[in-house]
Amino acid sequence: MVPKNRQRRPGPNAREVLYGFHPVMEALVAGRRRIEAVMMDRQVPSERQGRVIELAQPCGIPVQTVTVEALRAACGSDHHQGVAMTASPLPMAALESLSFPETGDDGGCLLVLLDSIKDPHNLGAIVRSAHCAGVDALVIPKDRAAGATPAVSKASAGALEHTRLCQVTNLTQAIEWLKKKGVWVAGLAMEAQQTVFQADLQGPLALVVGGEEKGLRPLVRQACDFLVSIPLCGRVDSLNASAAAAVVLFETYRQRHEQH
């Protein structure tokens, strides 16, 4: 049975304020959003602001000069770095739109599924690592989890703008659907006997990363084909979700590319 996953369908007038140099630049480069205008807080642009203008103007995107106070109010943050844009939300892909090739230089697709990651900064860091490790798509729950917000794009240093996202209503059903498509599903769990360095992470694979406090939920854990852990030393007994995801992703990258 195909899970009833909902594709994000913002209204025709939906918009949000993306802020920070890297998110704004990468949104302009990626071209996945409808951009209404760019805002800056200086009459004489800085070097970075000038680079934004060089990308925006040929596309016919208005560049507006506003006060620092107005820019802060529009962004809802002090971390705007003097530049922001009003744009449509990042589009979501349906899970069913993903393809699962079994051959290729990397041995198959690589997905990341996030189980109840609620901190936007953690999500942004995972998105950045996933993008750099060559992940094909991220799958996130619709409820009780962080979404693709401007804060996440800022935390990802703009990597979110190039990342394919699927939003699902039931992560366990999504896992079962992926397994039927021939994708192996590995859950990250600190008590797993097999470490990430012992596991075979090649071929079509989905990595499941649990939430910041409780890790994988029981039903999600049971749905995984196998579990992997990260060996640790020292007095602290765990990594945070984004650091753990990065370790597993780059071990996966190593296994898939060490012979190429």
Side-chain angles (χ1 to χ4, degrees):
M1 180 179 69
V2 176
K4 296 179 180 179
N5 301 320
R6 296 180 182 175
Q7 192 171 3
R8 185 178 183 177
R9 299 182 186 278
N13 297 319
R15 68 175 190 173
E16 58 190 29
V17 178
L18 205 63
Y19 59 89
F21 173 72
H22 291 294
V24 169
M25 282 288 289
E26 299 308 328
L28 287 165
V29 170
R32 299 172 67 199
R33 299 177 185 260
R34 298 187 308 274
I35 301 171
E36 294 182 2
V38 170
M39 297 177 286
M40 297 186 176
D41 65 353
R42 298 176 59 170
Q43 291 283 352
V44 179
S46 66
E47 186 271 336
R48 277 188 161 188
Q49 289 173 333
R51 288 164 62 186
V52 171
I53 292 172
E54 288 176 359
L55 286 179
Q57 285 185 335
C59 298
I61 299 169
V63 178
Q64 304 168 349
T65 302
V66 300
T67 65
V68 173
E69 293 76 16
L71 191 60
R72 183 186 302 118
C75 300
S77 171
D78 291 323
H79 304 296
H80 50 71
Q81 299 175 304
V83 61
M85 64 166 51
T86 52
S88 64
L90 195 69
M92 292 285 181
L95 184 69
E96 299 83 6
S97 71
L98 300 180
S99 59
F100 307 100
E102 296 184 2
T103 59
D105 291 341
D106 58 2
C109 69
L110 177 58
L111 310 174
V112 173
L113 281 61
L114 302 180
D115 183 21
S116 305
I117 299 291
K118 298 179 180 179
D119 185 339
H121 295 92
N122 258 343
L123 177 55
I126 292 171
V127 167
R128 187 174 185 177
S129 294
H131 175 70
C132 292
V135 167
D136 296 295
L138 268 75
V139 180
I140 59 176
K142 180 178 180 291
D143 300 314
R144 296 181 296 278
T149 65
V152 172
S153 189
K154 181 68 168 63
S156 76
L160 180 66
E161 304 306 311
H162 302 282
T163 300
R164 191 174 190 183
L165 288 178
C166 301
Q167 196 171 53
V168 300
T169 56
N170 188 307
L171 195 63
T172 303
Q173 287 184 12
I175 289 173
E176 295 296 343
W177 186 78
L178 289 170
K179 288 161 66 173
K180 291 177 181 178
K181 294 293 183 180
V183 178
W184 287 88
V185 181
L188 184 56
M190 60 183 296
E191 71 277 10
Q193 295 299 307
Q194 181 177 217
T195 74
V196 64
F197 305 116
Q198 297 167 333
D200 181 358
L201 302 176
Q202 302 183 67
L205 182 70
L207 299 171
V208 190
V209 181
E212 293 88 357
E213 296 181 2
K214 298 182 179 179
L216 299 177
R217 291 174 295 163
L219 289 178
V220 172
R221 180 190 304 261
Q222 293 169 21
C224 295
D225 289 306
F226 61 97
L227 302 175
V228 295
S229 62
I230 299 172
L232 302 172
C233 61
R235 300 183 64 87
V236 177
D237 63 0
S238 65
L239 298 171
N240 77 1
S242 60
V247 171
V248 180
L249 283 169
F250 283 98
E251 171 58 17
T252 304
Y253 180 92
R254 184 194 68 79
Q255 291 189 22
R256 289 164 175 246
H257 293 85
E258 64 180 358
Q259 296 180 351
H260 298 284

